Amino acid sequence: MINKLKTIFTIAVWFSIVTVSSVFADGHMAAIKKWSNGEFSLSTLSAKEREKELKWFHEAAKPFAGMTLKVVSEGIPTHVYEFKTLTKAFEDITGIKVQHQIIGEGDVVMAVQTQMQTNVSIYDAYVNDSDLIGTHARMQQAVNLTDWMAGEGKDVTLPTLDLDDFIGLQFTTGPDGNLYQLPDQQFANLYWFRKDWFDRPEIKKQFKAKYGYELGVPVNWSAYEDIAKFFSEDVKKIDGVNIYGHMDYGKRAPDLGWRMTDAWLSMAGGGSKGLPNGVPVDEWGIRMEAGTCNPVGANVSRGGATNGPAAVYAIRKWDEWLRAYAPPGAAAMDFYQSLPSLSSGNVAQQIFWYTAFTASLVGKNPNNKVVDANGMPLWRMGPSPKGPYWEEGMKLGYQDVGSWTLFKSTDVERRKAAWLYAQFAVSKTVSLKKADVGLTFVRKSTLNDKHFTKRAPELGGLIEFYRSDNRNVWSPTGINVPDYPKLAQLWWQHIGEVNSGTFTPQQTMDRLADEMDLVMSRMEAADKASNAYGGCGPRLNKPRETSYWLNKAGSPKAKVNEKPQGKTVAYKDAWK
């Protein structure tokens, strides 16, 4: 009797386990089909391929089911989509819960810096700018993803990740040739203008009469300045609305530093020739000789260009244009306030506009005054105009590449689970739909999909830019910057002194270059004493007369004619 009861009990337990497992398996398959046939039906993959990829995530995640992860990113539409939608999909498919926090970009950098300094895991993964590549490649705390995918993380690396399909991997590769960050989203700063206004015959005629050349997409800064002055002081009103020839921001906050380090100096022509960043002098004005990994200085006296004529010119023009041609209150705005404000419809052009905000300027919306009745853009984006120091072969603008980064201070099991979520967020199953929402691209297959061929006319030139070779002339901060968190914070503190009138542009850039070299001298000492930067910390040149460097070919460059003849081009020819 007892044996019979044991047998019955064993069979009942076995049946219960099988039933629960079957329900779980059915639930898992139901979730995969729900997301594959629903949210992710807009994909570069077929339904069968999507299901296969999502099944892989489910299987790979089994050891981590029930785990709760913490990841972080800044607040742009792409990351809001990840926060609201992808975390839910990932949990349904894998059983891993993700708390995807969205905070300010400065706070993201601060969290990264804190984790590196304390060696305590704050987040399991970060979406932080590839601007930190010089830091991550030197500090020996970020996970070397090349080694990770071939070794410790091999069992959780997506077979269909397809690195060759990514754009921007050159921006997340260290001087050692290894990958340290995986791109999650990418956007550029381009020229933005009201094409409908530029096309008005009476406005074109008025501009030509005053300046002697056609109103069009400005090729150089002289033309941009002429156009800004023209709309602000001559046109003044369009359709009864007060309008302005320029838009920017100037609030003394971390955003102001990025406004300058995001290639503003290289747009003026301050750096050296070379892609993705100038060699030996980058867009920050930091010099690092070819074939080395040791920065030698930012000050012109050490061969840098942070306080050279091109940099001083760039800062002066930013300040002058902001004061003279931007709407009232622009100087008190930050990055997040100024860029979406173009939808109010009172600005003719913006020299420095991030395409991350394209989504806020397209489609029918009663608050969006820069589209027509059908939701088509009245504006276009074009190539950035070049400053008088710019030379062929230089980078021309900035590309923001928010990228997944793992740290060694995070427990390996949590790191593996976070790596699964990071790959899910950029997988081929997800990528097309995510790009359709956020309009930031990291995959060639997404960019070249017929869906975006169809959407291109409503996106004002975004697709044309990314499908052209021009995208390679726009690049993030590069490897010359040895410690981004330490050095980036110096910029906004000093640049704010120009906007406040405390110091002149030359005084400000002199002070900034000196302080950058002071901070780098401390990095040099730390590297020599404890290998803090893996032997790739700064090795500063001894100061010498600035004339020595300014009289040599290349950057830093001696002063040139800073107001050459303005030059424009018709929009149809702008990307040629």
Side-chain angles (χ1 to χ4, degrees):
M1 184 67 181
I2 292 175
N3 288 335
K4 189 175 181 180
L5 288 172
K6 283 183 177 179
T7 301
I8 294 171
F9 178 74
T10 300
I11 292 172
V13 170
W14 175 84
F15 182 77
S16 175
I17 291 172
V18 169
T19 302
V20 170
S21 298
S22 177
V23 169
F24 181 74
D26 289 345
H28 142 61
M29 283 307 302
I32 285 177
K33 287 186 177 295
K34 181 190 80 169
W35 287 99
S36 175
N37 298 332
E39 184 71 16
F40 305 141
S41 59
L42 180 62
S43 173
T44 59
L45 299 184
S46 67
K48 185 176 181 180
E49 290 169 330
R50 293 195 300 272
E51 285 193 16
K52 183 178 180 181
E53 192 167 72
L54 294 178
K55 284 178 184 177
W56 180 89
F57 278 107
H58 171 76
E59 293 298 323
K62 281 182 177 179
F64 318 106
M67 186 180 286
T68 298
L69 300 173
K70 285 179 64 179
V71 304
V72 69
S73 65
E74 65 172 309
I76 63 171
T78 298
H79 298 317
V80 172
Y81 178 73
E82 291 167 343
F83 158 70
K84 287 185 175 180
T85 303
L86 296 192
T87 55
K88 174 61 176 170
F90 188 70
E91 184 177 0
D92 285 353
I93 291 164
T94 67
I96 300 172
K97 185 177 180 62
V98 181
Q99 295 176 353
H100 189 140
Q101 295 186 11
I102 293 179
I103 59 179
E105 185 177 0
D107 295 324
V108 174
V109 174
M110 186 177 296
V112 168
Q113 185 178 31
T114 302
Q115 181 150 341
M116 290 192 297
Q117 289 175 340
T118 63
N119 216 31
V120 173
S121 184
I122 301 172
Y123 292 98
D124 299 304
Y126 294 80
V127 182
N128 62 128
D129 284 0
S130 71
D131 296 337
L132 279 83
I133 184 60
T135 311
H136 293 322
R138 289 178 172 90
M139 292 289 285
Q140 307 156 75
Q141 295 189 40
V143 173
N144 178 329
L145 295 180
T146 300
D147 291 345
W148 167 260
M149 289 185 287
E152 202 168 28
K154 186 175 182 179
D155 60 325
V156 287
T157 295
L158 179 63
T160 52
L161 183 59
D162 191 7
L163 291 178
D164 290 339
D165 191 41
F166 280 78
I167 59 174
L169 288 186
Q170 69 270 36
F171 308 142
T172 60
T173 300
D176 57 3
N178 290 312
L179 193 70
Y180 286 87
Q181 300 171 281
L182 182 70
D184 177 80
Q185 50 83 4
Q186 184 167 316
F187 58 90
N189 68 349
L190 299 176
Y191 172 71
W192 182 99
F193 73 107
R194 285 292 299 269
K195 186 175 184 295
D196 59 329
W197 294 353
F198 278 48
D199 286 347
R200 291 193 180 191
E202 69 277 14
I203 291 179
K204 292 177 73 70
K205 182 178 179 181
Q206 188 180 357
F207 183 86
K208 178 74 178 287
K210 181 169 184 176
Y211 292 101
Y213 61 96
E214 297 291 339
L215 176 61
V217 176
V219 173
N220 57 15
W221 283 24
S222 291
Y224 182 86
E225 185 173 59
D226 289 347
I227 295 168
K229 183 179 177 69
F230 171 71
F231 276 100
S232 291
E233 298 182 0
D234 293 284
V235 179
K236 295 182 182 179
K237 282 191 176 186
I238 291 181
D239 301 332
V241 176
N242 291 329
I243 58 99
Y244 303 89
H246 170 68
M247 184 62 194
D248 212 324
Y249 60 95
K251 184 177 180 179
R252 189 171 178 174
D255 316 54
L256 186 56
W258 308 323
R259 170 65 184 80
M260 303 306 160
T261 59
D262 287 2
W264 183 240
L265 274 58
S266 73
M267 289 169 66
S272 299
K273 296 180 182 180
L275 298 173
N277 304 88
V279 179
V281 180
D282 72 353
E283 64 275 14
W284 286 42
I286 297 175
R287 187 180 194 91
M288 188 173 80
E289 301 299 342
T292 74
C293 61
N294 304 110
V296 297
N299 198 299
V300 173
S301 65
R302 300 181 195 271
T306 303
N307 58 332
V312 173
Y313 163 80
I315 300 302
R316 189 175 74 249
K317 285 302 171 187
W318 161 76
D319 184 53
E320 287 179 2
W321 295 343
L322 184 61
R323 292 172 185 274
Y325 308 127
M333 288 184 179
D334 62 18
F335 166 85
Y336 297 101
Q337 296 167 324
S338 71
L339 295 167
S341 70
L342 292 176
S343 63
S344 63
N346 65 346
V347 174
Q349 60 171 359
Q350 184 163 336
I351 191 172
F352 188 94
W353 178 74
Y354 289 97
T355 64
F357 291 89
T358 304
S360 67
L361 297 182
V362 300
K364 293 182 180 180
N365 183 320
N367 297 318
N368 184 4
K369 299 178 182 178
V370 293
V371 294
D372 65 18
N374 297 314
M376 299 299 287
L378 299 171
W379 53 269
R380 296 292 186 274
M381 57 184 81
S384 307
K386 308 167 179 69
Y389 294 87
W390 193 88
E391 302 170 272
E392 198 67 42
M394 291 180 61
K395 67 182 288 183
L396 183 53
Y398 175 76
Q399 190 99 233
D400 185 296
V401 186
S403 306
W404 288 103
T405 308
L406 307 175
F407 284 100
K408 297 175 183 177
S409 51
T410 299
D411 176 77
V412 173
E413 294 303 297
R414 298 188 67 79
R415 203 189 306 161
K416 284 186 173 185
W419 178 237
L420 285 174
Y421 175 65
Q423 293 173 101
F424 179 77
V426 299
S427 65
K428 289 183 179 179
T429 293
V430 169
S431 184
L432 184 58
K433 176 62 179 182
K434 188 174 83 168
D436 194 51
V437 174
L439 298 177
T440 59
F441 303 93
V442 291
R443 285 189 177 275
K444 298 171 192 172
S445 57
T446 300
L447 184 59
N448 295 325
D449 191 86
K450 61 184 180 182
H451 175 75
F452 280 111
T453 299
K454 184 178 179 180
R455 279 202 73 185
E458 69 184 66
L459 299 179
L462 181 67
I463 303 305
E464 290 81 352
F465 167 71
Y466 271 107
R467 286 181 175 177
S468 75
D469 290 337
N470 286 288
R471 72 168 185 252
N472 297 316
V473 190
W474 275 254
S475 64
T477 294
I479 57 176
N480 287 29
V481 180
D483 195 324
Y484 184 93
K486 277 189 173 71
L487 293 171
Q489 61 186 321
L490 304 178
W491 283 74
W492 68 271
Q493 295 168 1
H494 285 282
I495 301 300
E497 302 285 13
V498 176
N499 197 21
S500 68
T502 305
F503 294 107
T504 67
Q506 182 68 66
Q507 291 169 332
T508 291
M509 300 310 281
D510 285 341
R511 287 161 56 85
L512 174 59
D514 284 341
E515 192 162 353
M516 287 174 67
D517 283 348
L518 176 61
V519 172
M520 286 196 287
S521 72
R522 293 170 182 158
M523 295 180 202
E524 178 176 358
D527 197 33
K528 288 178 176 177
S530 62
N531 199 39
Y533 295 91
C536 283
R539 299 293 187 270
L540 297 184
N541 284 336
K542 292 182 178 179
R544 57 195 308 167
E545 290 295 323
T546 58
S547 58
Y548 170 81
W549 292 102
L550 292 176
N551 289 331
K552 294 170 75 74
S555 186
K557 301 165 185 175
K559 192 166 185 176
V560 301
N561 172 21
E562 294 179 343
K563 183 63 175 174
Q565 173 64 38
K567 183 180 179 182
T568 59
V569 64
Y571 179 69
K572 64 182 178 62
D573 300 320
W575 289 116
K576 292 180 181 179

